[in-house]
Amino acid sequence: MKTETLINTTLGLVLSGGGVKGMAHIGLLKALEQRGIYPSQISGVSAGALISGLYVDGTSIEDMLVFFKETPLLRYNFVTVNKPGLFDTDKYLPFFDDFFTAHRFEELDKRLVVVATNLLKGEPVYFEKGELFRPLLASAALPPVFSPVSIDGELFADGGIMNNFPVEPLTGACDVIIGCYASSMKAVGKGHIKSGLQISERANLLMLHANAMDKLHIPDLLIVPEKLGNIEVLDKKGIDKAFVLGYDHANRKLDEWLQ
């Protein structure tokens, strides 16, 4: 595959969930930009959905990292009172206003697809029209940490519950598909799981991993950054590390593929 060939094709990009591990996606985007490669269609879930939205809205690589560093994850005054979940997801909406220019999918220059899980109907829903912020927020609302998001009278949560690698919207619509899978997993000892939150994080990771495995062969190029398993899903201290791991791995894989 030559860079010149990619420039003249409909290139799709699918970005998985993974929490802080998902910062590896930003590393991939930087590696692509440095080669003059710009996807025209992006499908994302959870952290991958947030990054996809920022990217399609024209946010720079540096400002994407700032968004995740400055947006609080587990702030005590965001604790829920009358909603299911530990933290009130709606309280994160003002941070979108600070970083996004577009407020609707139709205002974006490229096709963006965001998947969230309809908790009431038990099915994945693919958003690409209408209001932008609430589907992005819902896609990343990992239960039971974050409360579900209400959209049109339905309750939505993390899209990774049903589909942690949403390649389907791009299949048949793109000539070439690149995928980045950041929900890496490693075996852990009993001492690693000491609290209810850690049990929840581990169970969610196993769930996300299981529903993506059968689809990782679909992209023409799959990026699976190594050593992300050492980064905790909600540990903001791992943002820069995940970004560098994603960037370095993407550089190696892209060089091999483009030759």
Side-chain angles (χ1 to χ4, degrees):
M1 180 67 67
K2 298 294 184 182
T3 304
E4 295 77 12
T5 304
L6 282 178
I7 292 174
N8 295 316
T9 62
T10 301
L11 175 62
L13 180 66
V14 53
L15 302 181
S16 75
V20 171
K21 302 171 196 277
M23 302 307 104
H25 297 323
I26 304 178
L28 167 61
L29 289 172
K30 180 176 181 178
L32 290 172
E33 284 192 355
Q34 289 178 334
R35 290 162 175 78
I37 300 171
Y38 300 94
S40 56
Q41 300 189 29
I42 304 183
S43 178
V45 60
S46 198
L50 296 176
I51 292 166
S52 298
L54 288 165
Y55 178 72
V56 174
D57 193 45
T59 307
S60 68
I61 297 298
E62 293 74 18
D63 284 343
M64 287 185 209
L65 291 171
V66 170
F67 172 83
F68 288 100
K69 289 178 180 179
E70 292 190 356
T71 302
L73 280 178
L74 309 178
R75 180 178 284 183
Y76 73 93
N77 59 337
F78 283 10
V79 172
T80 57
V81 177
N82 297 315
K83 296 182 179 181
L86 299 176
F87 296 90
D88 188 347
T89 308
D90 286 342
K91 291 188 176 181
Y92 293 86
L93 282 170
F95 294 94
F96 286 73
D97 277 320
D98 292 340
F99 280 87
F100 280 82
T101 300
H103 286 70
R104 300 181 62 81
F105 282 88
E106 291 83 357
E107 297 171 12
L108 301 169
D109 292 332
K110 301 179 180 182
R111 182 191 180 205
L112 171 66
V113 182
V114 172
V115 60
T117 298
N118 186 317
L119 290 176
L120 304 183
K121 296 179 179 178
E123 61 187 23
V125 176
Y126 300 88
F127 294 91
E128 55 180 312
K129 296 180 181 178
E131 180 190 359
L132 178 62
F133 293 172
R134 298 191 77 83
L136 287 174
L137 198 56
S139 184
L142 182 69
V145 181
F146 302 105
S147 64
V149 176
S150 177
I151 302 175
D152 296 331
E154 304 278 353
L155 290 180
F156 291 86
D158 196 316
I161 297 170
M162 303 295 293
N163 189 350
N164 195 41
F165 195 71
V167 67
E168 294 87 347
L170 305 183
T171 305
C174 298
D175 302 313
V176 177
I177 298 175
I178 296 175
C180 189
Y181 183 70
S183 294
S184 63
M185 185 184 66
K186 67 175 183 177
V188 299
K190 289 189 293 184
H192 184 81
I193 302 176
K194 300 178 181 179
S195 68
L197 181 58
Q198 289 173 327
I199 291 173
S200 175
E201 286 183 354
R202 184 64 178 174
N204 277 315
L205 179 57
L206 295 173
M207 172 188 63
L208 300 178
H209 197 59
N211 72 41
M213 288 298 93
D214 292 340
K215 297 183 290 183
L216 297 182
H217 69 281
I218 296 176
D220 299 278
L221 173 64
L222 178 66
I223 306 293
V224 185
E226 300 167 350
K227 300 180 181 179
L228 288 177
N230 296 319
I231 299 173
E232 296 294 334
V233 173
L234 297 177
D235 184 7
K236 292 179 67 174
K237 295 178 182 177
I239 289 177
D240 287 327
K241 182 178 181 181
F243 167 72
V244 172
L245 288 173
Y247 176 66
D248 290 344
H249 189 82
N251 275 323
R252 293 195 299 272
K253 290 297 182 180
L254 284 169
D255 286 343
E256 293 172 3
W257 191 56
L258 293 172
Q259 288 177 359

